[in-house]
Amino acid sequence: RAIIVGKVLAFASTNAWSALQQLPLFSGSIAMSFTAVFVSFIGMLWLWKATDLFREWYAHRDGHKDAFETLWDTQTEEAENGAISLTCSFLLVQTLRYAVGGALPDQDGGETRLHTQLECLGLFCIGLLTVGSVVCVGRWRN
């Protein structure tokens, strides 16, 4: 159940913060669209800290934190980490697509126009750089 609730949280978070990115303040320029990524990150960190404080208070109200409360805390933190990762990566990709294509995709990631071959090449190169970065970081950590 925790995994399903975590996925629902992640997609709800992505939808909410993507709606923020669509506001005229953030959709007016690439720089402001990128700012929405940081705003969402800081907002979610604040929210996760508040919920963590609540969990700790609740778990320790009887004087100790038992195994089930520890499991609850761990599973919830994993769900929160997944939500923040999915949300920020989605918003970052939206911003990169805006930078390459000149138009911010809609809240669900859809676009109404076709990209030129040069734009497609740019998006492909960004994808290759991302994969290369992930591989390098993975090898560096090991």
Side-chain angles (χ1 to χ4, degrees), residues 11 16-17 35 42 57 59 62 67 85 95 98 101 104 106 108 118-119 124 128 130 142:
F11 286 110
W17 290 105
T35 302
I42 298 301
W57 168 81
D62 61 354
S85 299
T95 300
Y98 186 8
L104 183 64
D106 68 20
D108 299 321
L118 187 59
E119 291 170 347
F124 182 73
L128 286 179
T130 303
N142 293 334

Side-chain angles (χ1 to χ4, degrees), residues 98-121:
Y98 186 8
V100 171
L104 183 64
D106 68 20
Q107 186 172 345
D108 299 321
E111 294 183 283
T112 56
R113 69 175 195 85
L114 296 175
H115 288 281
T116 66
Q117 288 182 347
L118 187 59
E119 291 170 347
C120 290
L121 181 61

Side-chain angles (χ1 to χ4, degrees), residues 33-73:
S33 179
F34 192 67
T35 302
V37 179
F38 289 108
V39 169
S40 68
F41 181 74
I42 298 301
M44 285 187 287
L45 282 181
W46 179 82
L47 183 60
W48 295 170
K49 183 62 177 172
T51 58
D52 185 51
L53 289 172
F54 171 77
R55 285 192 309 275
E56 291 301 319
W57 168 81
Y58 189 84
H60 288 100
R61 65 192 161 93
D62 61 354
H64 70 285
K65 187 174 182 179
D66 64 28
F68 291 112
E69 290 165 336
T70 301
L71 180 62
W72 169 47
D73 192 37

Side-chain angles (χ1 to χ4, degrees), residues 1-16 79 83 86-87:
R1 286 185 211 161
I3 294 173
I4 293 172
V5 172
K7 300 299 180 195
V8 170
L9 168 68
F11 286 110
S13 173
T14 301
N15 188 44
L86 180 68
T87 299

